[in-house]
Amino acid sequence: MLDQEQGIAGRKEQVELKLQQRNQMREVQVEAARTARSTAGQESTEDLVVQFYRDMEPMVEEMENMLKQSSLLPVGEVNSHLDLIVVKLQKMQEFVTEAGMFLPPYDVKKSQNTMSSLNTQFQEMQEEVKPKKKFGFKKCKQKTAVAAPVTAPDISSLSVVDASPGYSSSNSCSLSNLTDQTVVLTREQVEARDVSLDHLTNCRVEIQGPPSTLHMSSMTNCTILSGPVSTSVFVDICTSSTLSISCQQMRTHRTTKTDIYLHTTAKAILEDCSEVRVAPYSWSYPGMEKDYVRAGLEREVNHWEQIGDFNWLALDKHSPNWSILPVDQRRLDWSQT
């Protein structure tokens, strides 16, 4: 029995070491690609995207093989095998999240769909090898998802939908095609979920909780106030709006005339943007401090003014596409007017 446990621990260490070595190799390759592009006077994400898929494909293949092996293992090895899969999925999710800094929106969505598919396969496999335990867990989660809209019955357009559940119990919460609406999403509706906002016009949305990710697209004249996002925020086609965002990292595409009050623990990225102004994050709501703990964000670390513009290569001149929002123009009162 002791030899078996030592063997399991050894396998787990080998998986973690392999992932660590792969990530280190990728970091070296990414940095080399950046240096080469800088020397050539170019700043394209194409090379990084190609390298991302080169790294991602063998990870997916290895995970699929591990999932197939699950039903063939002796009963005594099932739990340890599941633990190894969870570790692997977590590392893969971190890899995909970090890649969101340079992946185009299409590739971000594609990679997230891949992770969603793997998470679904894991849950189905887990139900097969451990049906009783999984049934109880899933039933509990369904109750939580159904109860969420009850907290805001007046929001007819709110969709809180069970997405493909993964090892982190991922759900999604979405708002779309709204005009002249004010919506408050509660902690129960967004915590650890992927929140999506799209095609909103003249809307105010408050996210009073810690989402896993936040996606915004096709926003016009909106005010979006978000609690701490545990991973990434992606913005695409946002015009004449005000965003208050706290996250690990943010990438913004095709956005104009928009003010961003930002808290980010990593350098934010702009691409194909203009007239973007940034200021320190200043919105608050009851229970925010606990949400920072839940999200795992370091509130005291904020690189809000460190912006990388993929469309501006000059090192001796500031990008004309973004600026610091003057102090006397910053919003202090976030209450509705």
Coordinates of all heavy atoms in Angstrom, one line a residue, residues 73-107:
L73 N -8.9 2.0 -15.1 CA -8.0 1.8 -14.0 C -8.7 1.0 -12.9 O -9.9 1.0 -12.7 CB -7.7 3.2 -13.4 CG -6.8 4.1 -14.3 CD1 -6.7 5.5 -13.6 CD2 -5.4 3.5 -14.5
P74 N -7.9 0.3 -12.0 CA -8.4 -0.4 -10.9 C -9.1 0.6 -9.9 O -8.7 1.8 -9.9 CB -7.2 -1.0 -10.2 CG -6.2 -1.1 -11.3 CD -6.4 0.1 -12.2
V75 N -10.1 0.2 -9.2 CA -10.8 1.1 -8.3 C -9.9 1.8 -7.3 O -10.1 3.0 -7.1 CB -11.9 0.3 -7.5 CG1 -12.6 1.2 -6.5 CG2 -12.9 -0.4 -8.4
G76 N -8.9 1.2 -6.9 CA -8.0 1.8 -5.9 C -7.2 3.0 -6.5 O -6.6 3.8 -5.7
E77 N -7.1 3.1 -7.8 CA -6.3 4.1 -8.4 C -7.1 5.3 -9.0 O -6.6 6.3 -9.5 CB -5.4 3.5 -9.5 CG -4.4 2.5 -9.1 CD -3.6 2.0 -10.2 OE1 -3.5 2.7 -11.3 OE2 -2.9 1.0 -10.1
V78 N -8.4 5.1 -8.9 CA -9.3 6.1 -9.5 C -9.2 7.5 -8.9 O -9.0 8.5 -9.6 CB -10.8 5.7 -9.4 CG1 -11.7 6.8 -9.9 CG2 -11.0 4.5 -10.3
N79 N -9.2 7.6 -7.6 CA -9.2 8.9 -6.9 C -7.9 9.6 -7.2 O -7.9 10.9 -7.5 CB -9.3 8.7 -5.4 CG -10.8 8.4 -5.0 OD1 -11.7 8.7 -5.7 ND2 -10.9 7.8 -3.8
S80 N -6.8 9.0 -7.2 CA -5.5 9.6 -7.4 C -5.4 10.1 -8.9 O -4.9 11.1 -9.2 CB -4.3 8.7 -7.1 OG -4.4 7.5 -7.9
H81 N -6.0 9.3 -9.8 CA -6.0 9.7 -11.2 C -6.9 10.9 -11.4 O -6.5 11.8 -12.2 CB -6.6 8.5 -12.0 CG -6.5 8.7 -13.5 ND1 -5.2 8.7 -14.2 CD2 -7.4 8.9 -14.5 CE1 -5.4 8.9 -15.5 NE2 -6.7 9.1 -15.7
L82 N -8.0 11.0 -10.7 CA -8.8 12.2 -10.8 C -8.1 13.4 -10.3 O -8.2 14.5 -10.9 CB -10.1 12.0 -10.0 CG -11.1 10.9 -10.5 CD1 -12.3 10.9 -9.6 CD2 -11.5 11.1 -11.9
D83 N -7.3 13.2 -9.2 CA -6.6 14.4 -8.7 C -5.5 14.8 -9.7 O -5.3 16.0 -9.9 CB -5.8 13.9 -7.4 CG -6.8 13.7 -6.2 OD1 -7.9 14.2 -6.3 OD2 -6.4 13.0 -5.3
L84 N -4.9 13.9 -10.4 CA -3.9 14.3 -11.4 C -4.6 15.1 -12.6 O -4.1 16.0 -13.1 CB -3.3 13.0 -12.0 CG -2.2 12.3 -11.1 CD1 -1.8 11.0 -11.8 CD2 -1.1 13.2 -10.8
I85 N -5.8 14.7 -12.9 CA -6.5 15.4 -14.0 C -6.9 16.8 -13.6 O -6.8 17.7 -14.3 CB -7.8 14.6 -14.4 CG1 -7.4 13.3 -15.1 CG2 -8.7 15.4 -15.3 CD1 -8.6 12.4 -15.5
V86 N -7.3 16.9 -12.3 CA -7.7 18.2 -11.8 C -6.4 19.2 -11.9 O -6.5 20.3 -12.3 CB -8.2 18.1 -10.4 CG1 -8.3 19.5 -9.7 CG2 -9.6 17.5 -10.4
V87 N -5.3 18.7 -11.4 CA -4.1 19.5 -11.5 C -3.8 19.9 -12.9 O -3.4 21.0 -13.2 CB -2.9 18.7 -10.9 CG1 -1.6 19.4 -11.2 CG2 -3.1 18.4 -9.4
K88 N -3.9 18.9 -13.8 CA -3.6 19.2 -15.2 C -4.6 20.2 -15.8 O -4.2 21.1 -16.5 CB -3.8 17.9 -16.0 CG -3.5 18.0 -17.5 CD -2.0 18.1 -17.8 CE -1.8 18.1 -19.3 NZ -0.3 18.2 -19.6
L89 N -5.9 20.1 -15.5 CA -6.9 21.1 -16.0 C -6.6 22.5 -15.4 O -6.7 23.5 -16.1 CB -8.3 20.6 -15.6 CG -8.9 19.5 -16.4 CD1 -10.2 19.0 -15.8 CD2 -9.1 19.9 -17.9
Q90 N -6.2 22.5 -14.2 CA -5.9 23.8 -13.6 C -4.7 24.5 -14.3 O -4.8 25.7 -14.6 CB -5.6 23.7 -12.1 CG -6.9 23.3 -11.3 CD -6.5 23.0 -9.8 OE1 -5.4 22.6 -9.5 NE2 -7.5 23.1 -9.0
K91 N -3.7 23.7 -14.5 CA -2.5 24.3 -15.2 C -2.8 24.7 -16.6 O -2.4 25.8 -17.1 CB -1.4 23.2 -15.3 CG -0.8 22.9 -13.9 CD -0.1 24.0 -13.2 CE 0.5 23.7 -11.9 NZ 1.2 24.8 -11.3
M92 N -3.7 23.9 -17.3 CA -4.1 24.3 -18.7 C -4.9 25.6 -18.7 O -4.8 26.4 -19.5 CB -4.9 23.2 -19.3 CG -4.1 21.9 -19.6 SD -5.1 20.6 -20.4 CE -5.5 21.4 -22.0
Q93 N -5.8 25.7 -17.7 CA -6.6 26.9 -17.6 C -5.7 28.1 -17.3 O -6.0 29.2 -17.9 CB -7.6 26.8 -16.5 CG -8.6 27.9 -16.4 CD -9.4 28.1 -17.7 OE1 -10.2 27.2 -18.1 NE2 -9.2 29.2 -18.4
E94 N -4.7 28.0 -16.5 CA -3.8 29.1 -16.3 C -3.0 29.5 -17.5 O -2.8 30.7 -17.8 CB -2.8 28.7 -15.2 CG -3.4 28.6 -13.8 CD -2.4 28.0 -12.8 OE1 -1.2 27.8 -13.1 OE2 -2.8 27.8 -11.6
F95 N -2.7 28.5 -18.3 CA -2.0 28.7 -19.6 C -2.8 29.5 -20.5 O -2.4 30.4 -21.2 CB -1.6 27.3 -20.2 CG -1.0 27.4 -21.5 CD1 0.3 27.8 -21.7 CD2 -1.7 27.0 -22.6 CE1 0.9 27.9 -23.0 CE2 -1.2 27.1 -23.9 CZ 0.1 27.5 -24.1
V96 N -4.1 29.1 -20.6 CA -5.1 29.7 -21.5 C -5.3 31.2 -21.1 O -5.4 32.1 -21.9 CB -6.4 28.9 -21.6 CG1 -7.5 29.7 -22.4 CG2 -6.1 27.6 -22.4
T97 N -5.5 31.3 -19.8 CA -5.8 32.7 -19.2 C -4.6 33.6 -19.5 O -4.8 34.8 -19.9 CB -6.0 32.6 -17.7 OG1 -7.1 31.8 -17.5 CG2 -6.2 34.0 -17.1
E98 N -3.4 33.2 -19.3 CA -2.2 34.0 -19.6 C -2.1 34.4 -21.1 O -1.7 35.5 -21.4 CB -0.9 33.3 -19.1 CG -0.8 33.2 -17.6 CD 0.4 32.3 -17.2 OE1 1.1 31.8 -18.1 OE2 0.6 32.2 -15.9
A99 N -2.5 33.4 -21.9 CA -2.4 33.7 -23.4 C -3.4 34.7 -23.8 O -3.3 35.3 -24.9 CB -2.6 32.3 -24.1
G100 N -4.5 34.9 -23.0 CA -5.5 35.9 -23.3 C -4.9 37.3 -23.5 O -5.5 38.2 -24.0
M101 N -3.7 37.5 -23.0 CA -3.0 38.8 -23.1 C -2.6 39.1 -24.6 O -2.5 40.3 -25.0 CB -1.7 38.9 -22.3 CG -2.0 38.9 -20.8 SD -3.0 40.4 -20.3 CE -1.7 41.7 -20.5
F102 N -2.5 38.1 -25.4 CA -2.1 38.3 -26.8 C -2.9 37.7 -27.8 O -2.9 38.0 -29.0 CB -0.6 37.9 -27.0 CG -0.3 36.4 -26.7 CD1 -0.6 35.4 -27.6 CD2 0.3 36.1 -25.5 CE1 -0.4 34.1 -27.4 CE2 0.5 34.7 -25.2 CZ 0.2 33.7 -26.2
L103 N -3.8 36.7 -27.4 CA -4.7 36.0 -28.4 C -5.8 37.0 -28.9 O -6.4 37.7 -28.1 CB -5.3 34.8 -27.7 CG -4.5 33.6 -27.5 CD1 -5.3 32.5 -26.8 CD2 -3.8 33.1 -28.7
P104 N -6.0 37.0 -30.2 CA -7.2 37.7 -30.7 C -8.5 37.1 -30.1 O -8.5 36.0 -29.7 CB -7.1 37.4 -32.2 CG -5.7 37.1 -32.5 CD -5.2 36.3 -31.2
P105 N -9.6 37.9 -30.2 CA -10.9 37.4 -29.6 C -11.3 36.1 -30.1 O -11.8 35.2 -29.3 CB -11.8 38.5 -30.0 CG -11.0 39.7 -30.1 CD -9.7 39.3 -30.6
Y106 N -11.2 35.8 -31.4 CA -11.6 34.5 -31.9 C -10.8 33.4 -31.3 O -11.4 32.3 -30.9 CB -11.4 34.5 -33.4 CG -11.6 33.1 -34.0 CD1 -12.9 32.6 -34.3 CD2 -10.5 32.3 -34.3 CE1 -13.0 31.3 -34.8 CE2 -10.7 31.0 -34.8 CZ -11.9 30.5 -35.1 OH -12.1 29.3 -35.6
D107 N -9.5 33.5 -31.1 CA -8.7 32.4 -30.5 C -9.0 32.3 -29.1 O -8.9 31.2 -28.5 CB -7.2 32.7 -30.8 CG -6.9 32.7 -32.3 OD1 -6.9 31.6 -32.9 OD2 -6.7 33.8 -32.9

